[in-house]
Amino acid sequence: MPSPRSASLIAVVMAMTSLAGGAAGSAAHASSAAHASGAVRQDAAVVAIKEPTNLTELRREAQKAFQGIEDANRTLKARQKQFDALEKRVAAKLTQLQAADQELAKVRQPLSEIVEYIYQDPAANSMGSFFPGGDGTPALRTLSDVNHIVAEQNNVVSDANKLLQQREQLATEAQELRAENLLQEAQLDAEIDALRKRSNTLVKSLTRALVKLGVKVNADNRGTGACDPTRVDLAAQYPNGLLPRAYLCPLPQKGEELRADAAIAFADLNVAYQKRFGAPICVSDSYRSLSEQQAVYYSRPGLAATPGKSNHGLGMAVDLCGGVQIFRSAQFNWLEANSKRYGFIHPDWSYRSPFEPWHWEYDPKVGSLL
């Protein structure tokens, strides 16, 4: 059996070796995570993406990429919260271990003092004192006490080893959690960056395509962002009839405008209509400000929505002419059969009350399915 002092030295050496090994393992894991992150970035760069071929696809892909940015940001925040919670759990466990260490020190102290006394007291260290004259009972009792002390000391060393191993495991787990969190953040950052670049590229392509169709995107210095479909959520925050010009995209028809997603869909619909009838869609009205809604309401009683309630005030409705206003004309029938492919509908109420064959609306739900 090794001496108590030897046992203590062995335990300390073993513990230090274990901790060093754990640190090396954690460093290797972090290096592996960094390498994996690099691999993710490389993989993301080589993914082939089918490019959109028309305005509707451009608009849809731009909005999809923008939505992906928001989703990735929400995922990142959720993962950060999860990691913070895990770190708190690890910190609580380490606090428990610290308290256990303090309790262990209280047990270890008296044993250490007795063992130190035995080694330092010449009389206690003298083997002769264990073999005096007589029946040797005192010597045997002393040997028994020493054996008991050694056994208790070894138990204390064993407990200390277990605590060190638990601490090492917790430290490794914490390091792995940090490495995993860094890897996930790197992956999401790369994804967000790629989505943002793609969204910006698509919006620029969309703007160029609209300009080619004769849309004066920056009419009245409203800014090119007026035709950016990723900004429709901002436009939707304004009251009916009070949309700023910076959120209204011009139509190919001079003087007319709609919210960006509706305007893009209408421009695409206009291309198809012109191929069929040889002329662009005739538009008699589009976005109506609140004051314009009031003027129409009082001049056409019963044929206009209450001011502040009209879809015209949301920049999502048009009144058409050039034949479309005639129920069951060729133009009306063509629009009825094809407009949903571009997100536009002839609402149910307009077939009956009030009867308005000229009124057509952009439905974001239909548009999102295209």
Side-chain angles (χ1 to χ4, degrees):
M1 175 184 292
S3 68
R5 180 172 296 174
S6 298
S8 298
L9 289 172
I10 291 171
V12 171
V13 172
M14 289 177 63
M16 293 300 292
T17 302
S18 298
L19 288 173
S26 299
H29 185 91
S31 176
S32 174
H35 177 74
S37 175
V40 169
R41 290 178 184 273
Q42 292 177 1
D43 291 343
V46 298
V47 174
I49 300 176
K50 182 182 177 182
E51 291 303 319
T53 58
N54 55 50
L55 287 174
T56 298
E57 289 186 3
L58 277 168
R59 187 264 307 161
R60 177 190 61 193
E61 290 299 317
Q63 289 179 305
K64 183 179 177 181
F66 185 77
Q67 184 61 47
I69 295 171
E70 294 184 330
D71 292 342
N73 276 322
R74 281 193 291 268
T75 301
L76 180 60
K77 290 180 181 178
R79 289 182 178 176
Q80 286 174 337
K81 287 183 179 179
Q82 291 175 356
F83 179 71
D84 291 341
L86 287 172
E87 278 209 322
K88 288 179 181 177
R89 286 169 54 192
V90 172
K93 192 65 176 179
L94 290 174
T95 301
Q96 293 175 3
L97 284 175
Q98 185 178 8
D101 277 347
Q102 294 173 353
E103 291 298 321
L104 187 62
K106 292 178 182 178
V107 176
R108 181 186 297 173
Q109 185 62 32
L111 292 173
S112 300
E113 291 175 355
I114 295 173
V115 172
E116 183 180 359
Y117 168 75
I118 292 174
Y119 276 100
Q120 291 179 354
D121 187 352
N125 277 323
S126 174
M127 295 300 296
S129 63
F130 293 124
F131 301 101
D135 59 4
T137 298
L140 292 174
R141 183 176 291 109
T142 301
L143 283 172
S144 176
D145 291 343
V146 170
N147 285 334
H148 176 70
I149 291 171
V150 170
E152 289 299 320
Q153 178 72 2
N154 286 337
N155 287 337
V156 171
V157 171
S158 176
D159 290 342
N161 274 332
K162 290 179 181 178
L163 285 172
L164 286 171
Q165 290 172 2
Q166 290 178 12
R167 184 182 288 106
E168 177 189 359
Q169 182 179 355
L170 283 168
T172 301
E173 289 175 357
Q175 183 63 23
E176 288 176 350
L177 286 170
R178 291 188 182 95
E180 182 181 357
N181 189 62
L182 289 173
L183 174 60
Q184 291 177 352
E185 285 188 4
Q187 290 173 335
L188 286 170
D189 283 343
E191 180 182 345
I192 291 170
D193 185 58
L195 287 168
R196 184 176 290 111
K197 288 179 180 178
R198 177 163 174 76
S199 179
N200 291 338
T201 299
L202 288 166
V203 170
K204 289 178 181 178
S205 298
L206 189 55
T207 302
R208 288 194 295 268
L210 288 171
V211 171
K212 287 182 180 179
L213 292 174
V215 176
K216 298 185 183 300
V217 174
N218 193 26
D220 300 321
N221 295 318
R222 71 184 68 208
T224 57
C227 294
D228 183 348
T230 67
R231 302 175 71 216
V232 294
D233 287 343
L234 296 175
Q237 295 176 9
Y238 289 90
N240 188 302
L242 297 177
L243 273 67
R245 177 150 288 179
Y247 291 101
L248 290 168
C249 178
L251 300 183
Q253 290 77 1
K254 185 177 180 181
E256 305 298 338
E257 55 193 4
L258 292 173
R259 201 175 76 172
D261 52 347
I264 293 165
F266 186 84
D268 213 8
L269 173 63
N270 188 62
V271 171
Y273 183 94
Q274 191 164 0
K275 287 181 181 179
R276 170 64 179 82
F277 294 101
I281 301 175
C282 176
V283 182
S284 59
D285 205 0
S286 51
Y287 170 74
R288 289 179 191 158
S289 66
L290 188 59
S291 60
E292 289 171 336
Q293 291 180 55
Q294 291 171 342
V296 172
Y297 181 76
Y298 291 113
S299 64
R300 296 163 56 188
L303 292 177
T306 303
K309 300 293 184 180
S310 172
N311 268 6
H312 284 282
L314 299 175
M316 295 167 63
V318 288
D319 287 346
L320 305 180
C321 44
V324 179
Q325 79 280 10
I326 302 172
F327 187 62
R328 290 306 170 203
S329 66
Q331 293 86 349
F332 179 94
N333 288 341
W334 185 91
L335 274 176
E336 189 179 50
N338 295 278
S339 63
K340 287 184 179 179
R341 294 168 51 196
Y342 303 90
F344 274 86
I345 63 169
H346 187 55
D348 289 340
W349 62 260
S350 61
Y351 284 94
R352 300 182 302 274
S353 177
F355 179 60
E356 294 187 10
W358 55 84
H359 182 90
W360 297 76
E361 298 178 353
Y362 177 75
D363 186 340
K365 292 182 179 178
V366 175
S368 67
L369 298 176
L370 299 175

